[in-house]
C-alpha cells in the first residue's frame, strides 16, 4: 500500500484569549492525506477550518499554538518529518517547497504598491535557498507559472493589483503558491466572494493543475458544492473536531453524522428534482463554553442521554479505502439515516 | 390542483432605464427592463456582478428615479404619486440592502433599528409592547433567544446576524413586496435555508410578492420554483420564464453558462456534468459595449455578421411563457417552439 504524504495525529490547537484563558479551536484531529489526493474541509463559520489549515503549515497567529499532536510530512527526499518540532529556519525551508497555502481573503491583501512581477520576485527570492536566481530566471519562471493558470504573463507582470479582477488575483495566488513545486497545497475558501462564472473557471483551473502537477490538495470551504466538485475525500468539522470523514461518495450519499446530514439537507441542488430543504436547529456553540459530551447534542434530533456525557470518538464504519475509509464521531452512527423528501419533480 | 388565475401585478417596471453620467461617459446600467412582481410570487433576478441587478432593485423600491420608463405600484407611477400614496408605497414595498454593513445605523441598537418604523407610525403604544414586537420579529429570522440580541449594536454582530436584523426591520411594517438583494448569499448554509424558509412562509401564507436577487441559480431554483427567473446581462434581460423551464431547459447560451457553472452538491453529478465554456471570461465595460448582441464576444454560439450586426430583440418563445434574446437560438429553434421538456 502507498504511504500518505501527510499524517496528522491527535492535533489540537489553542488560542490564548486572556492571561489565564484559552480556547481550543482544533481538537484531536487525525487524518491521512495521500499523494495527489484532494480533501475538502467543510463546516459552518467558526468551526475551526482556517485554524486547522494554518496549523498544518505552522502559520498560526501569535496567540495560536499547537498544543498537542503530530503533523508528519513525507518530504520530497523521502524522509519523514514532524513539523511540530521544527525550528524557524527549518520551517522556512519546509514551507513553499513542501507545502504552500493560499489564504482566505488573500485576494485583498496584495501589497498595492508592488506590481505583480515584484510579488513573484519577492516570493521566489526569499524562499529559494542556496541557488539565487537571476532576474531573467525569475521572469522566466513567473511567465511559466502565469501561463499555467491561463493568464497573459506580459500584461499581468506589469500590472498593479487594483488593475486586476478578483478571479485573476486568485489565479495569481495559486500560481505563486505553486512556484516552488510543493507536494501539498492548502487553499482556504478559494472561490468565496467570486462571481459564479469566475468560480467555475477557478474550479476547472484546479482540476487541470492537479492533473498536470500531481500535488495533493486540502481545500477549506463552506460550499458543499465545491467539495462535491473537487474532493476525493471530505472531512466535516464541528466545534473544532472532525466529526465525519470519508470519500466524497460516502459523505454525500451515506452521511452518518447528524451534523453532516443537516448540512447536506440544507443545500439546494440545481440539477434534478426540487427537494425539501431544512435547517439545523440552533446555532454552533461558543468554543469557550462547549456543551458536555458530544458538542452537537443540543442541536441533534438523534441525541440520547448518553450523548450528554460521552464524547464520541471518530469511529470507522466502513474500512474501505485509505485513511480508515468512512468514519463518524457519533454514538448513534449506526442508526443515522439520510433521506431526502422531494417536493417537486424536475 | 385547480388552475390559478393570475392576480394583477403589485409592482411593475416598464421600459425602465437607468443611465449614470460619469466622467468616463454615460453608463447605461439598466437598459429598458420590463418586470412584474405579483402577490405571493417570486421574480428572481440573476446575473453576474455589475449586470445591473441592484440598480434595477433600487429603482423598483423607489429609491432612485429611472432616467426613462416607469415603476408602478398597484398601477400608479411611484414617481408622480401623491404623498399619501407614496407613503403607502414606502411601507408596502421594502428593500433589503445587499450589504448589511452599510445598511444598519451603527449607533442604534437592534431593538431601535427593528422598531423604528413601528414607533414612528405609532403602531406600538408602550416600550414593553415595542420590545415584545421586536423579539417576535427577531425570532422570525432565527435570532434566538431574541432578548440577547435586542440591546446589541451592529458591530457586535456577525455579517449573517446583521443581514437578519435588516430582514427583521423590513418585515416590521407588514410589507406586501420584499425586494431582497443578495440577502442570503453571505450566510452559512443552514442559516440561509432557515431564512429562505421564513421568507417562503411570508410568500405562501401572507401572499408577499418578491423581487429576489441572487447570483446562485440553485437558490433561485429553490426559492422561485413557482415563480419566474429573469436573467440579466449588461443591463438587459436576455431570458425570462417560469423557473422550472429556465433551470431544466435554458435556451440562452448565457443562461446555460450560469447554470452549468453551479457546483452541484452531488459528487457523481458534478463529475459527469458538462460545463459551458465561454470564449472569454472578461465582462465588457458598460462604457464600451460590444455591438449587436452585447454577449457576442463571450458567446460560444457567436456567428459573425449576425450576432455583432444587430441587437437581438427579447421575443416570446414557447407560447407566451418565455422570453429570449438570441439570434442563433431563435433562428435554429424557431421563434415559437412547442412545449419545453
Ligand atoms: N486569533 C484568535 N484568537 C482567539 N480566537 C480565535 C482566533 N482566531 C480564530 N479564533 C476562534 O477560533 C474559532 C475558529 O476560527 P476559524 O477562523 O478557524 O474558523 P473557520 O471555520 O475558518 O470560520 P470561517 O468559515 O468563518 O472562515 C472561532 O471561534 C474563532 O473565533
Ligand atoms: N451611482 C453610480 N454611478 C455610476 N455607475 C454606477 C452607479 N451605480 C452603479 N453603477 C454601475 O452600474 C453597473 C450595475 O451595477 P449594479 O450594482 O446594479 O450591479 P449588480 O448586478 O447589482 O452587481 P453585484 O452582483 O456586484 O451586486 C455597474 O457597472 C456599476 O459600476
Ligand atoms: S453523538 Fe448523539 S448528539 Fe452527537 S451527533 Fe450522535 S446522536 Fe447526535
Ligand atoms: Mg476560515
Ligand atoms: Mg448588487
Amino acid at each position: 500500500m502507498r504511504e500518505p504524504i501527510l499524517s496528522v495525529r491527535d492535533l489540537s490547537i489553542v488560542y490564548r484569549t486572556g492571561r489565564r484563558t484559552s480556547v481550543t479551536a482544533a481538537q484531536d484531529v487525525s487524518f491521512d492525506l495521500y499523494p495527489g489526493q484532494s480533501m475538502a474541509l467543510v463546516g459552518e463559520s467558526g468551526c475551526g477550518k482556517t485554524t486547522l489549515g494554518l496549523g498544518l503549515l505552522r502559520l498560526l497567529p501569535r496567540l495560536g499554538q499547537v498544543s498537542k499532536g503530530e503533523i508528519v510530512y513525507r518530504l520530497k527526499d523521502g524522509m519523514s518529518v514532524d513539523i511540530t518540532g521544527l525550528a524557524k529556519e527549518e520551517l522556512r525551508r519546509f514551507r513553499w517547497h513542501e507545502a504552500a497555502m493560499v489564504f482566505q481573503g488573500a485576494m485583498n491583501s496584495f501589497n498595492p504598491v508592488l506590481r505583480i512581477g515584484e510579488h513573484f520576485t519577492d516570493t521566489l527570492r526569499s524562499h529559494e535557498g542556496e541557488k539565487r536566481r537571476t532576474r531573467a530566471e525569475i521572469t522566466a519562471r513567473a511567465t511559466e507559472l502565469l501561463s499555467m493558470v491561463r493568464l497573459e504573463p506580459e500584461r499581468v507582470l506589469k500590472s498593479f493589483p487594483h488593475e486586476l479582477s478578483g478571479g485573476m488575483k486568485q489565479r495569481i495566488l495559486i500560481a505563486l503558491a505553486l512556484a516552488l513545486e510543493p507536494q501539498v497545497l492548502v487553499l482556504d475558501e478559494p472561490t468565496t466572494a467570486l462571481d459564479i462564472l469566475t468560480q467555475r473557471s477557478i474550479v476547472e483551473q484546479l482540476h487541470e493543475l492537479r492533473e498536470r502537477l500531481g500535488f495533493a490538495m486540502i481545500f477549506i470551504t463552506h460550499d458543499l458544492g465545491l467539495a462535491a466538485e473537487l474532493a476525493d475525500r471530505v472531512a466535516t468539522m464541528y466545534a473544532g473536531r472532525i466529526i465525519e470523514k470519508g470519500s466524497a461518495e460516502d459523505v454525500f450519499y451515506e452521511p452518518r453524522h447528524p451534523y453532516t446530514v443537516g448540512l447536506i439537507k440544507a443545500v439546494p441542488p440545481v440539477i434534478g428534482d426540487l427537494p425539501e430543504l431544512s435547517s439545523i436547529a440552533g446555532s454552533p456553540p461558543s468554543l469557550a463554553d462547549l456543551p458536555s459530551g458530544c458538542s452537537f447534542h443540543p442541536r441533534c434530533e438523534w441525541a440520547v442521554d448518553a450523548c450528554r456525557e460521552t464524547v464520541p470518538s471518530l469511529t470507522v464504519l466502513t474500512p474501505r479505502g485509505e485513511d480508515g475509509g468512512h468514519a463518524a464521531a457519533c454514538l448513534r452512527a449506526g442508526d443515522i439515516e439520510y433521506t431526502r423528501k422531494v417536493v417537486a419533480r424536475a | 390542483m385547480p388552475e390559478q388565475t393570475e392576480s394583477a401585478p403589485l409592482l411593475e417596471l416598464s421600459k425602465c432605464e437607468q443611465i449614470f453620467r460619469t466622467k468616463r461617459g454615460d453608463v447605461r446600467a439598466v437598459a429598458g427592463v420590463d418586470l412584474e412582481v405579483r402577490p405571493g410570487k417570486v421574480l428572481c433576478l440573476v446575473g453576474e456582478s455589475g449586470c445591473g441587478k441592484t440598480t434595477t432593485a433600487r429603482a423598483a423600491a423607489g429609491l432612485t428615479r429611472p432616467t426613462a420608463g416607469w415603476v408602478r405600484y398597484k398601477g400608479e407611477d411611484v414617481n408622480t404619486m401623491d404623498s399619501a400614496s407614496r407613503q403607502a408605497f414606502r411601507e408596502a414595498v421594502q428593500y433589503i440592502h445587499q450589504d448589511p454593513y452599510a445598511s444598519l445605523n451603527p449607533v442604534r441598537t437592534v431593538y431601535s433599528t427593528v422598531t423604528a418604523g413601528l414607533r414612528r407610525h405609532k403602531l406600538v403604544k408602550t416600550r414593553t409592547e415595542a420590545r415584545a414586537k421586536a423579539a417576535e420579529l427577531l425570532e422570525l429570522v432565527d435570532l434566538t433567544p431574541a432578548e440577547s440580541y435586542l440591546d446589541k449594536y451592529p458591530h457586535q454582530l456577525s455579517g449573517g446576524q446583521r443581514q437578519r436584523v435588516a430582514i427583521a426591520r423590513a418585515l416590521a411594517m407588514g410589507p406586501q413586496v420584499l425586494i431582497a438583494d443578495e440577502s442570503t448569499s453571505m450566510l452559512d448554509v443552514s442559516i440561509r435555508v432557515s431564512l429562505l424558509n421564513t421568507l417562503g412562509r411570508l410568500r405562501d401564507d401572507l401572499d408577499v410578492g418578491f423581487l429576489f436577487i441572487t447570483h446562485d441559480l440553485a437558490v433561485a431554483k429553490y426559492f422561485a420554483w413557482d415563480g419566474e427567473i429573469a436573467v440579466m446581462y449588461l443591463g438587459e434581460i436576455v431570458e425570462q420564464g417560469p423557473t422550472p423551464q429556465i433551470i431544466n431547459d435554458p435556451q440562452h447560451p448565457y443562461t446555460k453558462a450560469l447554470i452549468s457553472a453551479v457546483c452541484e452538491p452531488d459528487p457523481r453529478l458534478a463529475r459527469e456534468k458538462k460545463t459551458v465554456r465561454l470564449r472569454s471570461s472578461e465582462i465588457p465595460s458598460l462604457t464600451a459595449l460590444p455591438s449587436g448582441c452585447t454577449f457576442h464576444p463571450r458567446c460560444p454560439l457567436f456567428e459573425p455578421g449576425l450576432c455583432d450586426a444587430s441587437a437581438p430583440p427579447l421575443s416570446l418563445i414557447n407560447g407566451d411563457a418565455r422570453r429570449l434574446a438570441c439570434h442563433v437560438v431563435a433562428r435554429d429553434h424557431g421563434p415559437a417552439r412547442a412545449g419545453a421538456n
Side-chain angles (χ1 to χ4, degrees):
Chain A
M1 229 171 83
R2 58 182 188 155
E3 272 182 61
I5 192 145
L6 167 62
S7 280
V8 177
R9 286 293 170 273
D10 302 317
L11 179 69
S12 295
I13 296 170
V14 296
Y15 287 111
R16 232 183 32 234
T17 50
R19 198 145 2 124
R20 285 207 180 77
T21 52
S22 63
V23 294
T24 306
Q27 189 154 19
D28 297 322
V29 170
S30 297
F31 66 86
D32 288 332
L33 181 73
Y34 286 80
Q37 219 172 37
S38 83
M39 176 175 117
L41 267 181
V42 302
E44 283 165 292
S45 185
C47 70
K49 306 181 294 297
T50 295
T51 301
L52 179 55
L54 293 171
L56 294 178
L57 275 87
R58 295 266 319 269
L59 284 165
L60 291 164
R62 214 167 42 83
L63 295 174
Q65 160 185 8
V66 170
S67 61
K68 132 170 138 33
E70 292 177 359
I71 307 170
V72 179
Y73 283 87
R74 196 157 51 82
L75 306 181
K76 286 174 186 162
D77 63 12
M79 305 283 282
S80 287
V81 58
D82 178 358
I83 66 154
T84 59
L86 290 194
K88 224 173 175 177
E89 193 45 38
E90 294 168 311
L91 273 174
R92 248 172 58 90
R93 252 173 286 144
F94 161 82
R95 285 189 207 125
W96 299 87
H97 294 267
E98 304 286 349
M101 181 151 180
V102 176
F103 298 101
Q104 180 167 16
M107 278 177 318
N108 310 317
S109 57
F110 277 94
N111 184 337
V113 301
L114 294 187
R115 291 177 203 270
I116 298 304
E118 290 158 281
H119 284 90
F120 274 91
T121 309
D122 280 1
T123 304
L124 288 166
R125 277 267 160 82
S126 57
H127 299 282
E128 65 196 336
E130 305 82 61
K131 53 172 202 308
R132 197 177 157 81
R133 288 181 214 231
T134 64
R135 189 150 278 281
E137 282 168 339
I138 286 177
T139 307
R141 178 68 178 141
T143 302
E144 186 184 9
L145 288 162
L146 287 171
S147 330
M148 210 161 64
V149 295
R150 299 185 178 283
L151 292 172
E152 293 167 52
E154 298 77 40
R155 179 160 92 85
V156 169
L157 285 170
K158 280 194 233 108
S159 304
F160 286 101
H162 73 264
E163 294 168 329
L164 303 168
S165 68
M168 295 168 92
K169 283 189 260 188
Q170 191 65 302
R171 279 161 196 267
I172 293 168
L173 288 165
I174 293 171
L176 274 169
L178 294 173
L180 297 168
E181 299 173 334
Q183 305 188 88
V184 176
L185 180 63
V186 180
L187 300 142
D188 195 352
E189 303 282 3
T191 59
T192 307
L194 293 175
D195 227 328
I196 173 112
L197 294 175
T198 315
Q199 285 188 16
R200 168 54 54 190
S201 72
I202 297 284
V203 169
E204 308 272 312
Q205 184 72 76
L206 287 171
H207 274 306
E208 193 183 306
L209 288 171
R210 221 154 62 83
E211 202 150 290
R212 179 160 159 191
L213 304 173
F215 52 85
M217 176 165 98
I218 294 179
F219 65 97
I220 292 169
T221 182
H222 65 271
D223 179 356
L224 290 183
L226 189 69
E229 190 89 37
L230 272 179
D232 303 317
R233 297 192 54 87
V234 176
T236 317
M237 281 187 86
Y238 188 76
R241 291 175 186 269
I242 289 183
I243 49 87
E244 178 157 11
K245 62 178 183 176
S247 69
E249 280 81 0
D250 285 339
V251 173
F252 276 96
Y253 300 136
E254 289 173 60
R256 297 291 283 283
H257 192 288
Y259 179 64
T260 315
V261 172
L263 286 181
I264 292 175
K265 282 184 158 178
V267 180
V270 80
I271 300 176
D273 300 334
L274 185 73
E276 184 175 81
L277 301 187
S278 49
S279 56
I280 307 167
S283 44
S286 145
L287 290 179
D289 185 20
L290 285 183
S292 63
C294 170
S295 16
F296 188 59
H297 87 251
R299 306 175 72 187
C300 181
E301 30 179 315
W302 304 79
V304 290
D305 285 346
C307 303
R308 256 179 297 246
E309 280 132 39
T310 315
V311 179
S313 56
L314 198 55
T315 311
V316 174
L317 307 163
T318 13
R320 69 171 163 249
E322 291 166 330
D323 189 22
H326 186 190
C330 167
L331 298 181
R332 303 196 56 195
D335 305 332
I336 308 304
E337 273 172 35
Y338 160 62
T339 48
R340 206 160 208 197
K341 208 165 104 195
V342 170
V343 289
R345 295 269 161 212
Chain B
M1 226 165 55
E3 190 67 20
Q4 287 188 352
T5 49
E6 278 228 302
S7 38
L10 285 167
L11 195 61
E12 261 174 297
L13 275 65
S14 35
K15 301 191 176 64
C16 191
E17 179 196 85
Q18 193 83 59
I19 295 176
F20 295 111
R21 316 223 174 264
T22 70
K23 273 185 239 122
R24 291 187 304 138
D26 284 0
V27 172
R28 199 189 54 163
V30 178
V33 160
D34 297 320
L35 294 171
E36 291 176 351
V37 181
R38 292 173 195 278
K41 294 282 179 214
V42 180
L43 173 70
C44 194
L45 199 54
V46 302
E48 275 166 296
S49 186
C51 71
K53 303 181 296 295
T54 296
T55 307
T56 304
R58 288 176 55 82
L63 298 172
T64 47
R65 195 188 181 110
T67 44
W70 306 268
V71 177
R72 295 195 186 86
Y73 175 64
K74 294 190 172 166
E76 220 185 322
D77 185 338
V78 304
N79 288 299
T80 56
M81 56 177 42
D82 63 34
S83 66
S85 307
R86 182 140 180 105
Q87 187 56 41
F89 162 73
R90 282 224 175 277
E91 281 169 29
V93 178
Q94 291 286 327
Y95 176 71
I96 305 168
H97 203 283
Q98 177 167 9
D99 177 5
Y101 292 86
S103 72
L104 298 182
N105 187 335
V107 300
R108 277 194 171 189
T109 61
V110 169
Y111 158 78
S112 163
T113 294
V114 168
T115 57
L118 294 169
R119 287 180 288 126
R120 195 170 345 109
H121 294 101
K122 308 254 182 316
L123 297 171
V124 282
K125 301 202 173 48
T126 62
R127 192 173 155 84
T128 323
E129 195 189 338
R131 283 185 76 87
K133 182 72 190 165
E136 198 180 296
L137 289 162
L138 292 182
E139 261 153 41
L140 212 52
V141 295
D142 283 306
L143 286 173
T144 51
E147 284 69 32
S148 67
Y149 291 98
L150 285 176
D151 301 311
K152 287 213 161 94
Y153 289 92
H155 74 265
Q156 296 169 306
L157 303 174
S158 74
Q161 291 168 336
R162 286 179 213 206
Q163 191 59 278
R164 285 181 279 166
V165 171
I167 294 174
R169 171 178 61 186
L171 299 181
M173 302 302 293
Q176 298 191 24
V177 175
L178 279 177
I179 301 176
D181 194 352
E182 300 273 11
S183 296
T184 62
S185 56
M186 59 188 295
L187 304 176
D188 265 321
V189 287
S190 173
I191 298 170
R192 184 177 69 186
V193 157
S194 152
L195 255 181
L196 287 172
N197 288 346
T198 301
L199 297 177
R201 282 193 299 277
L202 298 173
R203 173 196 64 201
D204 300 339
D205 302 345
L206 302 177
D207 251 3
V208 173
F210 280 84
L211 177 57
F212 188 85
I213 294 175
T214 180
H215 62 265
D216 185 338
L217 273 292
V219 167
K221 168 180 170 175
Y222 180 68
F223 192 66
W225 184 258
D226 292 324
E228 285 195 300
I229 291 179
V231 182
M232 206 166 178
Y233 186 71
L234 294 177
E236 294 172 297
I237 305 291
V238 296
E239 179 162 20
Q240 185 181 357
T243 300
Q245 290 187 32
I246 298 290
I247 295 288
N248 297 326
D249 181 32
Q251 293 296 314
H252 197 286
Y254 181 61
T255 313
K256 288 187 179 175
L258 287 179
I259 291 174
S260 79
V262 176
C263 287
E264 194 67 27
D266 179 316
R268 265 175 234 136
L269 291 178
R271 228 167 283 144
E272 286 160 9
K273 187 162 85 171
K274 293 236 180 332
T275 58
V276 176
R277 276 197 185 238
L278 297 183
R279 295 194 300 138
S280 149
S281 55
E282 302 278 321
I283 307 173
S285 156
L286 284 170
T287 50
L289 287 174
S291 64
C293 170
T294 54
F295 186 55
H296 88 253
R298 305 172 74 190
C299 182
L301 301 184
F302 169 63
E303 285 182 26
L306 175 65
C307 302
D308 49 3
S310 66
L314 185 60
S315 336
L316 294 173
I317 59 163
N318 193 16
D320 58 0
R322 294 178 65 166
R323 300 192 293 164
L324 173 75
C326 171
H327 287 304
V328 175
V329 176
R331 182 198 63 204
D332 293 353
H333 299 287
R337 292 175 340 115
N341 44 27

